[in-house]
Every structure is written in structure tokens, then in C-alpha cells.
Amino acid sequence: MEKFPNRFIAALAFGIGVQLVAQTGVAAGFDDHEALAGVKEVKVAFDITAGEGKKLLGQINVIDETRQSLIRQGVAPHFVLAFRGPATRLIQTDQSKIKPEDKELALKIAAKLKQMRGAEGIESMQQCSVAIRQQETKAENVIPPVKVVGNGWISLMALENRGYAYIAP
């Protein structure tokens, strides 16, 4: 009779451990413990230019997954998503400049960015006005969570000078 309570407690502890591992992203046996040693916050500017819907949505999803993982691991993210180049066409409310195969993905991209708006760790989402001109789109058609800035490169330079890491997915 004494073994039953021990097995029950062991099974319960195992179940809780499995849940914790799954929630922290180390279920595959990998974690970020060494990389994040002593890190309390990260400041990152993502230079996003992907012009294919599937690729852009994938990048945005991984950025959000990274944000959530950092939070779970006790690190405060400060992310800026900077859109320019061909990505400009995929974050427009006017779909006339979007390839037919990317139109449904553009709607998913817009929904994902709206979902991320105001999320912990998302400081801003920016669209370069130079890219708007080059991609022949319009500033007034940029999806609502994204703010149009004068020149995306200048914005990225300023962010780097303020200590933000630069990542071009």
C-alpha cells in the first residue's frame, strides 16, 4: 500500500515536468540557457523585406515565437519590425499590387500583425516610405498596426545607435 502514493506522486511530478518542458520550448532537448545567461532584456530591430507571402508570414510567425520564448525564459524583448522592399506590397489594404497566389496570405499577415499589435515586447512596426514609393503603393494603404516612417534605413541606423541588434531574417 505504501508504493501507491509514491507512484502517484512520481506520476504527478512527471506530468507537471512534461508540461513545463513543453511550455518553455525545450521539449526537443534544447534551450537557450547558455545564450541568455545574465541577459535581462534584448533590443532587436528586424529588417523585413521578404516579398513572397509564405516566406513573410513564416518570418513574422518566428519573430512572434521568439518573442514569446524570451518572455517565458525571463527575458524582456523590445522588438521593432521594420518593413521595406518587396514586403511593402504584402502589408497593404489595397491588394491590387499583390500577386494572386499571395492575396490570401496577405490577409493572414495582416491578421497576425494586428494580433501582435500591443503585445508584450512589440515596441513598433514600421514601413519605409521610400519602399512605398519604389513598390508603387500608397502610405494610406499600409495596414493599421504599421506606422509609415520617412526612410527605413535611417530608422534602422538610429535603432542600432540606441543599442538595438540588427537582424535581417
Coordinates of all heavy atoms in Angstrom, one line a residue, residues 50-127:
A50 N 11.0 40.3 -47.2 CA 10.5 39.2 -47.9 C 9.3 39.6 -48.7 O 8.3 40.1 -48.2 CB 10.2 38.0 -47.0
G51 N 9.3 39.3 -50.0 CA 8.2 39.7 -50.9 C 7.3 38.5 -51.3 O 6.3 38.7 -52.0
E52 N 7.5 37.3 -50.8 CA 6.7 36.2 -51.0 C 5.8 36.0 -49.7 O 6.3 36.0 -48.6 CB 7.5 34.9 -51.3 CG 8.4 35.0 -52.5 CD 9.7 35.6 -52.2 OE1 10.2 35.5 -51.0 OE2 10.2 36.4 -53.0
G53 N 4.5 35.8 -49.9 CA 3.6 35.7 -48.8 C 3.9 34.6 -47.8 O 4.0 34.9 -46.6
K54 N 4.2 33.4 -48.3 CA 4.5 32.3 -47.4 C 5.8 32.6 -46.6 O 5.8 32.4 -45.4 CB 4.7 31.0 -48.2 CG 4.9 29.8 -47.4 CD 4.9 28.5 -48.2 CE 5.1 27.3 -47.4 NZ 5.1 26.1 -48.2
K55 N 6.8 33.1 -47.2 CA 8.1 33.4 -46.5 C 7.9 34.5 -45.5 O 8.4 34.4 -44.4 CB 9.1 33.8 -47.5 CG 10.5 34.1 -46.9 CD 11.5 34.4 -48.0 CE 12.9 34.6 -47.4 NZ 13.9 34.8 -48.4
L56 N 7.2 35.6 -45.9 CA 6.9 36.7 -44.9 C 6.1 36.3 -43.7 O 6.5 36.6 -42.6 CB 6.2 37.9 -45.6 CG 6.0 39.1 -44.8 CD1 7.3 39.7 -44.1 CD2 5.3 40.2 -45.6
L57 N 5.0 35.5 -44.0 CA 4.2 35.0 -42.9 C 5.1 34.1 -41.9 O 5.0 34.2 -40.7 CB 3.0 34.3 -43.4 CG 2.0 33.8 -42.3 CD1 1.5 34.9 -41.4 CD2 0.9 33.0 -42.9
G58 N 5.9 33.3 -42.5 CA 6.8 32.4 -41.7 C 7.7 33.2 -40.9 O 8.0 32.9 -39.7
Q59 N 8.3 34.3 -41.4 CA 9.2 35.1 -40.7 C 8.5 35.8 -39.5 O 9.0 35.9 -38.4 CB 9.9 36.2 -41.6 CG 10.9 35.6 -42.5 CD 11.5 36.6 -43.5 OE1 11.0 37.8 -43.6 NE2 12.5 36.2 -44.3
I60 N 7.3 36.4 -39.8 CA 6.6 37.0 -38.7 C 6.2 36.0 -37.6 O 6.3 36.4 -36.4 CB 5.3 37.7 -39.3 CG1 5.8 38.9 -40.2 CG2 4.4 38.2 -38.2 CD1 4.7 39.4 -41.1
N61 N 5.8 34.8 -38.0 CA 5.5 33.8 -37.0 C 6.7 33.5 -36.1 O 6.6 33.3 -34.9 CB 4.9 32.6 -37.7 CG 3.5 32.8 -38.1 OD1 2.7 33.5 -37.5 ND2 3.1 32.1 -39.2
V62 N 7.9 33.3 -36.8 CA 9.1 33.0 -36.0 C 9.5 34.2 -35.1 O 9.9 34.0 -33.9 CB 10.2 32.6 -36.9 CG1 11.5 32.4 -36.1 CG2 9.9 31.3 -37.6
I63 N 9.3 35.4 -35.6 CA 9.6 36.6 -34.7 C 8.7 36.5 -33.5 O 9.2 36.7 -32.3 CB 9.4 37.9 -35.5 CG1 10.6 38.0 -36.5 CG2 9.4 39.1 -34.6 CD1 10.4 39.1 -37.5
D64 N 7.4 36.2 -33.7 CA 6.5 36.2 -32.6 C 6.8 35.0 -31.6 O 6.7 35.1 -30.4 CB 5.0 36.1 -33.0 CG 4.0 36.4 -31.9 OD1 4.3 37.2 -31.1 OD2 3.0 35.8 -31.9
E65 N 7.2 33.9 -32.2 CA 7.6 32.7 -31.4 C 8.8 33.0 -30.5 O 8.9 32.7 -29.4 CB 7.9 31.5 -32.3 CG 8.3 30.3 -31.6 CD 8.7 29.1 -32.5 OE1 8.2 29.1 -33.7 OE2 9.5 28.3 -32.1
T66 N 9.7 33.8 -31.1 CA 10.9 34.2 -30.4 C 10.6 35.1 -29.3 O 11.1 35.0 -28.2 CB 11.9 34.8 -31.4 OG1 12.2 33.9 -32.5 CG2 13.2 35.3 -30.7
R67 N 9.7 36.1 -29.5 CA 9.3 37.0 -28.5 C 8.7 36.2 -27.3 O 9.0 36.5 -26.2 CB 8.2 37.9 -29.1 CG 7.6 38.9 -28.1 CD 6.4 39.7 -28.7 NE 5.3 38.8 -29.0 CZ 4.4 38.4 -28.1 NH1 4.5 38.9 -26.8 NH2 3.4 37.7 -28.4
Q68 N 7.8 35.3 -27.6 CA 7.1 34.5 -26.6 C 8.1 33.7 -25.8 O 8.0 33.5 -24.6 CB 6.0 33.7 -27.2 CG 4.8 34.5 -27.7 CD 3.8 33.6 -28.4 OE1 3.6 32.5 -28.0 NE2 3.2 34.2 -29.5
S69 N 9.1 33.1 -26.5 CA 10.1 32.2 -25.9 C 10.9 33.1 -24.9 O 11.3 32.6 -23.8 CB 10.9 31.5 -26.9 OG 11.9 30.7 -26.3
L70 N 11.3 34.2 -25.3 CA 12.1 35.1 -24.5 C 11.4 35.4 -23.2 O 11.9 35.4 -22.1 CB 12.5 36.4 -25.2 CG 13.6 36.3 -26.3 CD1 13.6 37.5 -27.2 CD2 15.0 36.0 -25.6
I71 N 10.1 35.8 -23.3 CA 9.3 36.1 -22.2 C 9.2 34.9 -21.2 O 9.4 35.1 -20.0 CB 7.9 36.6 -22.6 CG1 8.0 37.9 -23.3 CG2 6.9 36.7 -21.4 CD1 6.7 38.3 -24.1
R72 N 9.0 33.7 -21.8 CA 8.9 32.5 -20.9 C 10.2 32.2 -20.2 O 10.2 31.7 -19.1 CB 8.5 31.3 -21.8 CG 7.0 31.2 -22.1 CD 6.7 29.8 -22.6 NE 7.5 29.4 -23.8 CZ 7.1 29.7 -25.1 NH1 6.1 30.4 -25.3 NH2 7.9 29.3 -26.1
Q73 N 11.3 32.7 -20.8 CA 12.6 32.4 -20.2 C 13.1 33.6 -19.4 O 14.3 33.6 -18.9 CB 13.6 32.1 -21.3 CG 13.3 30.8 -22.1 CD 14.3 30.5 -23.2 OE1 15.4 30.0 -22.9 NE2 13.9 30.7 -24.4
G74 N 12.2 34.5 -19.1 CA 12.5 35.6 -18.2 C 13.3 36.8 -18.8 O 13.9 37.6 -18.0
V75 N 13.3 36.9 -20.1 CA 14.0 38.0 -20.8 C 13.0 38.9 -21.4 O 12.1 38.4 -22.1 CB 15.0 37.4 -21.8 CG1 15.7 38.6 -22.6 CG2 16.0 36.5 -21.2
A76 N 13.1 40.2 -21.2 CA 12.2 41.2 -21.7 C 12.6 41.5 -23.2 O 13.6 42.1 -23.4 CB 12.1 42.4 -20.9
P77 N 11.7 41.2 -24.1 CA 12.0 41.6 -25.5 C 11.6 43.0 -25.8 O 10.6 43.5 -25.3 CB 11.3 40.6 -26.4 CG 10.1 40.2 -25.5 CD 10.5 40.4 -24.1
H78 N 12.3 43.7 -26.7 CA 12.0 45.0 -27.2 C 12.2 44.9 -28.7 O 13.3 45.1 -29.2 CB 12.8 46.1 -26.6 CG 12.8 46.2 -25.1 ND1 11.8 46.9 -24.4 CD2 13.6 45.7 -24.2 CE1 12.0 46.7 -23.1 NE2 13.1 46.0 -22.9
F79 N 11.1 44.6 -29.4 CA 11.2 44.3 -30.9 C 10.6 45.5 -31.7 O 9.5 46.0 -31.4 CB 10.4 43.1 -31.2 CG 11.1 41.8 -30.8 CD1 12.3 41.7 -30.1 CD2 10.5 40.6 -31.1 CE1 12.8 40.5 -29.7 CE2 11.0 39.3 -30.8 CZ 12.2 39.3 -30.1
V80 N 11.3 45.8 -32.8 CA 10.8 46.7 -33.8 C 10.8 45.9 -35.1 O 11.8 45.3 -35.5 CB 11.7 48.0 -33.9 CG1 11.2 48.8 -35.1 CG2 11.7 48.8 -32.6
L81 N 9.7 45.9 -35.7 CA 9.6 45.2 -37.0 C 9.6 46.3 -38.1 O 8.7 47.1 -38.1 CB 8.3 44.4 -37.1 CG 8.3 43.0 -36.4 CD1 8.4 43.2 -34.9 CD2 7.0 42.3 -36.7
A82 N 10.6 46.3 -38.9 CA 10.8 47.3 -40.0 C 10.6 46.7 -41.3 O 11.4 45.9 -41.8 CB 12.2 47.9 -39.8
F83 N 9.5 47.1 -42.0 CA 9.2 46.5 -43.3 C 9.7 47.5 -44.4 O 9.5 48.7 -44.3 CB 7.7 46.4 -43.5 CG 7.1 45.4 -42.5 CD1 6.6 45.8 -41.3 CD2 7.1 44.0 -42.8 CE1 6.1 44.9 -40.4 CE2 6.6 43.1 -41.9 CZ 6.1 43.5 -40.7
R84 N 10.3 46.9 -45.4 CA 10.7 47.7 -46.6 C 10.9 46.7 -47.8 O 10.6 45.5 -47.7 CB 12.0 48.4 -46.3 CG 13.1 47.7 -45.8 CD 14.4 48.5 -45.4 NE 15.5 47.6 -45.4 CZ 16.2 47.3 -46.5 NH1 15.9 47.8 -47.7 NH2 17.2 46.4 -46.4
G85 N 11.3 47.2 -48.9 CA 11.4 46.4 -50.1 C 10.1 45.7 -50.5 O 9.0 46.3 -50.3
P86 N 10.2 44.5 -51.1 CA 9.1 43.8 -51.6 C 8.0 43.5 -50.5 O 6.8 43.3 -50.9 CB 9.7 42.5 -52.2 CG 11.1 42.9 -52.5 CD 11.5 43.9 -51.5
A87 N 8.4 43.4 -49.3 CA 7.5 43.1 -48.2 C 6.4 44.2 -48.1 O 5.3 44.0 -47.7 CB 8.2 43.0 -46.8
T88 N 6.7 45.4 -48.6 CA 5.8 46.5 -48.6 C 4.5 46.2 -49.3 O 3.4 46.6 -48.7 CB 6.5 47.7 -49.4 OG1 7.7 48.0 -48.7 CG2 5.6 48.9 -49.4
R89 N 4.5 45.5 -50.3 CA 3.3 45.1 -51.1 C 2.4 44.2 -50.3 O 1.2 44.2 -50.5 CB 3.6 44.5 -52.4 CG 4.2 45.5 -53.4 CD 4.5 44.8 -54.7 NE 5.1 45.8 -55.6 CZ 4.9 45.9 -56.9 NH1 4.1 45.0 -57.4 NH2 5.5 46.8 -57.6
L90 N 2.9 43.4 -49.4 CA 2.2 42.4 -48.6 C 1.5 43.0 -47.4 O 0.8 42.3 -46.7 CB 3.0 41.2 -48.3 CG 3.5 40.4 -49.5 CD1 4.6 39.4 -49.2 CD2 2.3 39.7 -50.1
I91 N 1.8 44.2 -47.0 CA 1.2 44.8 -45.8 C 0.3 46.0 -46.2 O 0.3 47.0 -45.5 CB 2.2 45.1 -44.7 CG1 3.3 46.1 -45.2 CG2 2.9 43.8 -44.2 CD1 4.1 46.7 -44.0
Q92 N -0.3 45.9 -47.3 CA -1.2 46.9 -47.8 C -2.7 46.4 -47.7 O -3.0 45.2 -47.9 CB -0.9 47.1 -49.3 CG 0.4 47.7 -49.6 CD 0.5 49.2 -49.3 OE1 -0.3 49.9 -49.9 NE2 1.5 49.6 -48.6
T93 N -3.6 47.4 -47.5 CA -5.0 47.0 -47.5 C -5.5 46.9 -49.0 O -6.4 46.2 -49.3 CB -5.9 48.1 -46.8 OG1 -5.6 49.4 -47.4 CG2 -5.5 48.1 -45.3
D94 N -4.9 47.6 -49.9 CA -5.2 47.5 -51.3 C -4.4 46.3 -51.9 O -3.2 46.4 -51.9 CB -4.8 48.8 -52.0 CG -5.0 48.7 -53.6 OD1 -5.6 47.8 -54.1 OD2 -4.6 49.7 -54.2
Q95 N -5.1 45.3 -52.4 CA -4.4 44.1 -52.8 C -4.1 44.1 -54.3 O -3.6 43.1 -54.9 CB -5.3 42.9 -52.5 CG -5.3 42.6 -51.0 CD -5.7 41.1 -50.8 OE1 -6.3 40.5 -51.6 NE2 -5.4 40.6 -49.6
S96 N -4.2 45.3 -55.0 CA -4.0 45.3 -56.4 C -2.6 45.1 -56.8 O -2.3 44.6 -57.9 CB -4.5 46.6 -57.0 OG -3.7 47.7 -56.5
K97 N -1.6 45.3 -55.9 CA -0.2 45.1 -56.2 C 0.3 43.8 -55.7 O 1.5 43.5 -55.7 CB 0.6 46.2 -55.6 CG 0.3 47.6 -56.1 CD 0.9 47.9 -57.4 CE 0.6 49.3 -57.8 NZ 1.2 49.6 -59.1
I98 N -0.6 43.0 -55.1 CA -0.2 41.7 -54.6 C -0.4 40.6 -55.6 O -1.5 40.5 -56.2 CB -1.0 41.4 -53.3 CG1 -0.7 42.5 -52.2 CG2 -0.7 40.0 -52.7 CD1 -1.6 42.4 -51.0
K99 N 0.5 39.6 -55.7 CA 0.4 38.5 -56.6 C -0.8 37.7 -56.2 O -1.1 37.5 -55.0 CB 1.6 37.6 -56.6 CG 2.9 38.3 -57.0 CD 4.0 37.3 -56.8 CE 5.3 38.0 -56.5 NZ 6.4 37.1 -56.0
P100 N -1.6 37.2 -57.2 CA -2.8 36.4 -56.9 C -2.5 35.3 -55.9 O -3.4 35.1 -55.0 CB -3.2 35.8 -58.3 CG -2.6 36.8 -59.3 CD -1.4 37.3 -58.7
E101 N -1.4 34.6 -56.0 CA -1.1 33.5 -55.1 C -0.8 34.0 -53.6 O -0.8 33.1 -52.7 CB 0.0 32.6 -55.6 CG 1.3 33.3 -55.7 CD 1.6 34.0 -57.1 OE1 0.6 34.2 -57.8 OE2 2.8 34.2 -57.4
D102 N -0.6 35.3 -53.5 CA -0.2 35.8 -52.2 C -1.4 36.6 -51.5 O -1.2 37.0 -50.3 CB 1.0 36.7 -52.3 CG 2.3 36.0 -52.4 OD1 2.4 34.8 -52.0 OD2 3.3 36.6 -52.9
K103 N -2.5 36.7 -52.2 CA -3.6 37.5 -51.6 C -4.2 37.0 -50.3 O -4.4 37.7 -49.4 CB -4.7 37.7 -52.7 CG -4.2 38.7 -53.8 CD -5.3 39.1 -54.7 CE -4.7 40.0 -55.8 NZ -5.7 40.7 -56.5
E104 N -4.4 35.7 -50.3 CA -4.9 35.1 -49.0 C -3.9 35.1 -47.9 O -4.2 35.4 -46.8 CB -5.3 33.6 -49.3 CG -6.0 33.0 -48.1 CD -6.5 31.6 -48.4 OE1 -6.9 31.3 -49.5 OE2 -6.4 30.7 -47.5
L105 N -2.6 34.9 -48.3 CA -1.5 35.0 -47.3 C -1.4 36.5 -46.8 O -1.1 36.7 -45.6 CB -0.2 34.6 -47.9 CG -0.1 33.1 -48.2 CD1 1.0 32.7 -49.1 CD2 0.0 32.3 -46.9
A106 N -1.6 37.5 -47.6 CA -1.6 38.9 -47.2 C -2.6 39.1 -46.1 O -2.3 39.9 -45.1 CB -1.7 39.8 -48.4
L107 N -3.8 38.5 -46.2 CA -4.8 38.7 -45.2 C -4.3 38.0 -43.9 O -4.6 38.6 -42.8 CB -6.1 38.0 -45.7 CG -6.8 38.7 -46.9 CD1 -8.0 37.9 -47.3 CD2 -7.2 40.1 -46.5
K108 N -3.7 36.9 -44.0 CA -3.1 36.2 -42.8 C -2.0 37.0 -42.2 O -1.9 37.1 -40.9 CB -2.6 34.8 -43.1 CG -3.8 33.8 -43.5 CD -3.2 32.5 -43.9 CE -4.4 31.5 -44.2 NZ -3.9 30.2 -44.6
I109 N -1.2 37.7 -43.0 CA -0.1 38.5 -42.5 C -0.7 39.7 -41.7 O -0.3 40.0 -40.6 CB 0.8 39.0 -43.6 CG1 1.6 37.8 -44.2 CG2 1.7 40.2 -43.2 CD1 2.2 38.1 -45.5
A110 N -1.8 40.3 -42.3 CA -2.4 41.5 -41.7 C -3.0 41.0 -40.3 O -2.9 41.7 -39.3 CB -3.5 42.0 -42.6
A111 N -3.7 39.9 -40.3 CA -4.3 39.4 -39.1 C -3.2 39.1 -38.0 O -3.4 39.5 -36.8 CB -5.1 38.1 -39.4
K112 N -2.1 38.5 -38.4 CA -1.0 38.2 -37.5 C -0.4 39.5 -36.9 O -0.2 39.7 -35.7 CB 0.1 37.4 -38.1 CG 1.2 37.0 -37.2 CD 0.8 36.1 -36.1 CE 1.9 35.7 -35.2 NZ 1.5 34.9 -34.1
L113 N -0.2 40.5 -37.7 CA 0.3 41.8 -37.3 C -0.6 42.5 -36.3 O -0.2 43.1 -35.3 CB 0.8 42.7 -38.4 CG 1.9 42.1 -39.3 CD1 2.2 43.0 -40.5 CD2 3.2 42.0 -38.4
K114 N -1.9 42.4 -36.7 CA -2.9 43.0 -35.8 C -3.0 42.3 -34.4 O -3.1 43.0 -33.4 CB -4.3 43.0 -36.4 CG -4.4 44.0 -37.6 CD -5.8 44.0 -38.3 CE -5.8 44.9 -39.4 NZ -7.0 44.8 -40.2
Q115 N -2.8 41.0 -34.5 CA -2.8 40.2 -33.2 C -1.5 40.6 -32.4 O -1.6 40.7 -31.2 CB -2.8 38.8 -33.5 CG -2.7 37.8 -32.3 CD -1.5 36.9 -32.5 OE1 -1.2 36.4 -33.6 NE2 -0.9 36.5 -31.3
M116 N -0.4 40.9 -33.0 CA 0.8 41.2 -32.3 C 0.8 42.7 -31.8 O 1.6 43.0 -30.9 CB 2.0 41.0 -33.3 CG 2.3 39.5 -33.5 SD 3.6 39.3 -34.8 CE 5.0 39.9 -34.0
R117 N 0.0 43.5 -32.4 CA 0.0 44.9 -32.0 C -0.3 45.0 -30.5 O -1.2 44.4 -30.0 CB -1.1 45.7 -32.8 CG -1.4 47.1 -32.3 CD -2.5 47.8 -32.9 NE -3.7 47.0 -33.1 CZ -4.6 47.2 -34.1 NH1 -4.5 48.2 -34.9 NH2 -5.6 46.4 -34.2
G118 N 0.5 45.7 -29.8 CA 0.4 45.9 -28.4 C 0.8 44.7 -27.5 O 0.7 44.8 -26.3
A119 N 1.2 43.7 -28.2 CA 1.7 42.5 -27.4 C 3.0 42.9 -26.6 O 3.7 43.7 -27.1 CB 2.0 41.3 -28.3
E120 N 3.1 42.2 -25.5 CA 4.3 42.5 -24.7 C 5.6 42.3 -25.6 O 5.7 41.3 -26.2 CB 4.4 41.5 -23.5 CG 5.6 41.7 -22.6 CD 5.6 40.7 -21.4 OE1 4.6 40.0 -21.3 OE2 6.6 40.8 -20.7
G121 N 6.5 43.3 -25.6 CA 7.7 43.2 -26.3 C 7.7 43.8 -27.7 O 8.8 43.9 -28.3
I122 N 6.5 44.1 -28.2 CA 6.5 44.7 -29.5 C 6.4 46.2 -29.3 O 5.4 46.7 -28.9 CB 5.2 44.2 -30.4 CG1 5.3 42.7 -30.5 CG2 5.2 44.9 -31.7 CD1 6.4 42.2 -31.4
E123 N 7.5 46.9 -29.7 CA 7.6 48.3 -29.5 C 7.0 49.1 -30.7 O 6.3 50.0 -30.5 CB 9.0 48.7 -29.3 CG 9.5 48.3 -27.9 CD 10.8 49.0 -27.5 OE1 11.4 49.8 -28.3 OE2 11.2 48.7 -26.4
S124 N 7.3 48.6 -31.9 CA 6.7 49.3 -33.0 C 6.8 48.4 -34.3 O 7.6 47.5 -34.3 CB 7.3 50.6 -33.3 OG 8.6 50.5 -33.8
M125 N 6.0 48.7 -35.3 CA 6.0 48.2 -36.6 C 6.1 49.3 -37.5 O 5.3 50.2 -37.5 CB 4.8 47.3 -36.9 CG 4.6 46.2 -35.9 SD 3.1 45.2 -36.3 CE 2.9 44.4 -34.8
Q126 N 7.1 49.3 -38.4 CA 7.4 50.5 -39.3 C 7.4 50.1 -40.7 O 7.9 49.0 -41.1 CB 8.7 51.1 -38.9 CG 8.9 51.5 -37.5 CD 10.2 52.0 -37.2 OE1 11.1 52.0 -38.0 NE2 10.4 52.5 -36.0
Q127 N 6.9 51.0 -41.6 CA 7.0 50.8 -43.0 C 7.8 52.0 -43.6 O 7.5 53.1 -43.4 CB 5.6 50.7 -43.6 CG 5.6 50.8 -45.2 CD 6.3 49.7 -45.8 OE1 6.0 48.5 -45.6 NE2 7.3 50.0 -46.7

